Amino acid sequence: MLEKRTPLQINQAIKKIMEHTIEGKTEVVSITECDQRYLGEDILATNDVPLFTRAAFDGYALRLIDTADASSNQPIELKVVEELGAGMVATKEIGPFETTRIMTGTMVPKGCDAIIMLEAVKVVEKNGEKYIVIKRKVKEGDHISYRGEEAKNGDMILKKGTKINPGVMAVLATFGYSKVRVAVKPKIGIFVTGSELLDVDEPIQNGKIRNSNSFMIASQVRRAGGEPIYLGKLPDVLDTCTNAVDAAIKDVDMLITTGGVSVGDYDLMPEVYKALNGEVFFNKVAMRPGSVTTVAILNGKFLFGLSGNPSASYVGFELFTRPVIKKMLFCENTHLRASVAQLNVDFPKANPLTRFVRSKLYFENGKLLVDPAGLDKSNVVMSLAHTDSLAVLPGGKRCFQKGDQVQVLLLDDEGSSDTMSR
Ligand SMILES: Nc1nc2c(c(=O)[nH]1)N[C@H]1C(S)=C(S)[C@@H](COP(=O)(O)OP(=O)(O)OC[C@H]3O[C@@H](n4cnc5c(N)ncnc54)[C@H](O)[C@@H]3O)O[C@H]1N2
Ligand code: MOO
Ligand SMILES: [Mg+2]
């Protein structure tokens, strides 16, 4: 008789994994190397931004008091005493009824408290001197960006664990971070198991299939922020698998295998864990696909035994492996971002297990809709190419109908509101 496996609820399985202590490491890299990585420390403002009070428009810097009585009936004239472009610094202080022609980004001369745009004035020349004619009152601060209005020196700007994106790159450069402390990418070893597996460039043979899991998992590892290390395919031979896992786990932060975790004659992973004295956290989860996902600890490191079935393997990774990678990258939110969408098809059969339907999201008339990305079976690979989300259909007696609101987990969405300081 086969050993009966007791399924764990999904939340309990995730909790078990997340309670295991695993530390991320940091390293310092050049700003040119840090894009798309994760901050390894909080980023503080190293100066005020803007650095100095500057013009936000091309125009004339002036004293408000001089324009107080200006109107179309009573235009005022200001004498242009200097002309400045960005990067230049005023050499003259502005006196009564004087102005400086100033371009966007230029430091505002002392004594000026507003800018009037070039388009709003008329320039006249008298005795070889330039004057501007103003026909309206100017408001305080018009077209001026004040020193420190965005950030003050010492402010906490970005939290450790924030993903570096184009905006973060701009902020890092603004504060002079030519070197950036980032999280070291966790090294994730990948074995695929199965005597039926062919390499991608091998000719097709009777009864065999091409290995696709290693490419899929490597891409998922990269999407999660880790560094995949493909270690090859293993035949369904116990000693070969045991020795390979034993040797490989030493050189990586965690190891993923696909295949061989179910109850078949050649499903050897349970025996591999036994032979190596691995501590198995669980080998059955109340979900579909991915019910056979097995997670164990070996020498303090995670060993993820994902299913051989591509869709099951895909979902198992996103639910159980991704959060561990995110934790090692110091991310505040380790789980997939969730949203709510309107189901666009019926699921008339109730299922005791919670289902994660590989799905595609789209907008129609301002509503977020979700459609299965293809055939909804655990052994399917095709639908994965169209998948951008997982629609969650909770297990139980309930069936689901077109129009129902369901939770969707976003696969390509990093989320930002959780990691940016507000
Ligand atoms: N009697 C039972 N049979 C099965 C059960 C069960 O509970 N009782 N569970 C089913 C479920 S659910 C799943 S999921 C699969 C899990 O299978 P394994 O993890 O043991 O994986 P394999 O048997 O090695 O392979 C399954 C399937 O996937 C293909 N495969 C394997 N590796 C790759 C790869 N690298 N690239 C592409 N495809 C791969 C393999 O050829 C098989 O077709 O078990 C059910 N059975
Ligand atoms: O682990 Mo299986 O995916 O439930 O089909
Ligand atoms: Mg099997």
Side-chain angles (χ1 to χ4, degrees):
M1 242 323 245
L2 282 173
E3 183 194 330
K4 196 166 176 337
R5 298 184 182 183
T6 317
L8 210 57
Q9 292 307 310
I10 301 162
N11 286 349
Q12 286 173 329
I14 293 173
K15 189 164 174 266
K16 233 175 172 162
I17 290 174
M18 297 314 275
E19 276 172 3
H20 181 78
T21 310
I22 185 156
E23 296 283 330
K25 295 186 212 103
T26 67
E27 62 183 336
V28 174
V29 298
S30 156
I31 189 170
T32 56
E33 304 295 321
C34 77
D35 195 15
Q36 301 298 309
R37 296 190 62 176
Y38 293 77
L39 291 175
E41 63 180 357
D42 290 344
I43 296 292
L44 303 182
T46 53
N47 47 250
D48 291 350
V49 173
L51 273 167
F52 47 85
T53 296
R54 64 190 179 188
F57 274 79
D58 304 315
Y60 290 87
L62 48 76
R63 298 162 5 122
L64 280 181
I65 194 167
D66 295 340
T67 72
D69 298 325
S71 67
S72 46
N73 298 332
Q74 203 181 325
I76 55 126
E77 285 185 2
L78 304 181
K79 184 177 171 189
V80 181
V81 294
E82 200 169 10
E83 299 189 353
L84 301 174
M88 293 162 74
V89 178
T91 58
K92 294 190 179 127
E93 220 170 291
I94 300 293
F97 295 96
E98 288 182 345
T99 185
T100 293
R101 187 176 165 92
I102 189 172
M103 300 302 122
T104 304
T106 311
M107 187 186 280
V108 174
K110 258 198 198 140
C112 299
D113 38 23
I115 308 282
I116 188 162
M117 285 164 67
L118 291 184
E119 298 88 324
V121 302
K122 208 172 100 187
V123 182
V124 292
E125 245 185 86
K126 286 195 231 165
N127 309 325
E129 307 264 30
K130 279 185 191 151
Y131 290 80
I132 57 169
V133 182
I134 301 180
K135 293 184 174 171
R136 62 176 173 82
K137 209 174 146 180
V138 178
K139 284 203 287 302
E140 185 173 359
D142 260 5
H143 309 312
I144 288 185
S145 302
Y146 288 97
R147 175 178 180 156
E149 73 179 14
E150 282 191 60
K152 299 263 187 299
N153 191 8
D155 280 356
M156 222 280 272
I157 300 299
L158 296 162
K159 275 194 190 161
K160 183 176 177 176
T162 298
K163 185 172 185 184
I164 300 174
N165 65 17
V168 172
M169 290 296 284
V171 168
L172 290 170
T174 296
F175 292 108
Y177 284 91
S178 61
K179 300 238 180 321
V180 184
R181 185 167 286 281
V182 292
V184 172
K185 289 183 187 186
K187 286 189 174 53
I188 324 283
I190 302 167
F191 275 126
V192 288
T193 72
S195 296
E196 75 279 29
L197 299 177
L198 297 171
D199 284 326
V200 66
D201 54 357
E202 275 187 272
I204 286 169
Q205 293 171 37
N206 222 2
K208 303 212 169 190
I209 59 158
R210 289 194 189 101
N211 153 42
S212 57
N213 283 351
S214 70
F215 296 93
M216 174 185 80
I217 297 286
S219 176
Q220 287 177 285
V221 167
R222 273 183 228 109
R223 178 165 68 182
E227 183 186 332
I229 301 170
Y230 178 49
L231 300 166
K233 58 183 167 62
L234 297 172
D236 296 317
V237 176
L238 183 59
D239 282 355
T240 313
C241 289
T242 307
N243 294 337
V245 167
D246 191 29
I249 197 120
K250 299 184 178 86
D251 301 327
V252 293
D253 293 306
M254 55 187 114
L255 190 65
I256 294 175
T257 62
T258 75
V261 281
S262 186
V263 294
D265 293 345
Y266 302 94
D267 289 338
L268 302 174
M269 290 315 292
E271 285 181 64
V272 171
Y273 304 139
K274 244 185 227 152
L276 296 174
N277 285 322
E279 183 196 346
V280 177
F281 278 5
F282 53 85
N283 59 13
K284 190 97 183 163
V285 190
M287 61 187 269
R288 182 137 287 169
S291 65
V292 293
T293 306
T294 302
V295 177
I297 298 288
L298 205 60
N299 303 334
K301 293 179 184 173
F302 273 106
L303 189 54
F304 290 93
L306 304 180
S307 165
N309 276 332
S311 280
S313 184
Y314 185 97
V315 171
F317 176 93
E318 294 299 335
L319 259 64
F320 303 115
T321 315
R322 182 187 185 275
V324 179
I325 296 175
K326 294 292 182 198
K327 190 172 163 185
M328 291 185 79
L329 296 169
F330 314 109
C331 297
E332 203 172 328
N333 261 13
T334 47
H335 299 302
L336 292 166
R337 188 128 100 143
S339 183
V340 173
Q342 185 175 308
L343 206 54
N344 202 37
V345 292
D346 292 331
F347 283 85
K349 250 176 74 186
N351 197 311
L353 302 176
T354 295
R355 293 166 71 178
F356 293 87
V357 182
R358 281 75 65 214
S359 301
K360 195 153 187 56
L361 290 166
Y362 59 102
F363 279 100
E364 207 172 80
N365 301 325
K367 270 194 198 138
L368 186 60
L369 276 87
V370 63
D371 245 342
L375 205 56
D376 188 46
K377 284 185 177 173
S378 152
N379 53 13
V380 158
V381 68
M382 294 300 291
S383 62
L384 297 173
H386 309 288
T387 294
D388 60 17
S389 53
L390 300 172
V392 187
L393 307 184
K397 295 204 176 90
R398 195 183 154 193
C399 50
F400 293 85
Q401 282 167 345
K402 183 174 171 154
D404 285 349
Q405 295 290 318
V406 295
Q407 191 187 47
V408 283
L409 305 176
L410 312 180
L411 294 163
D412 288 311
D413 190 313
E414 196 66 29
S416 59
S417 50
D418 57 317
T419 47
M420 292 285 284
S421 61
R422 279 188 281 186

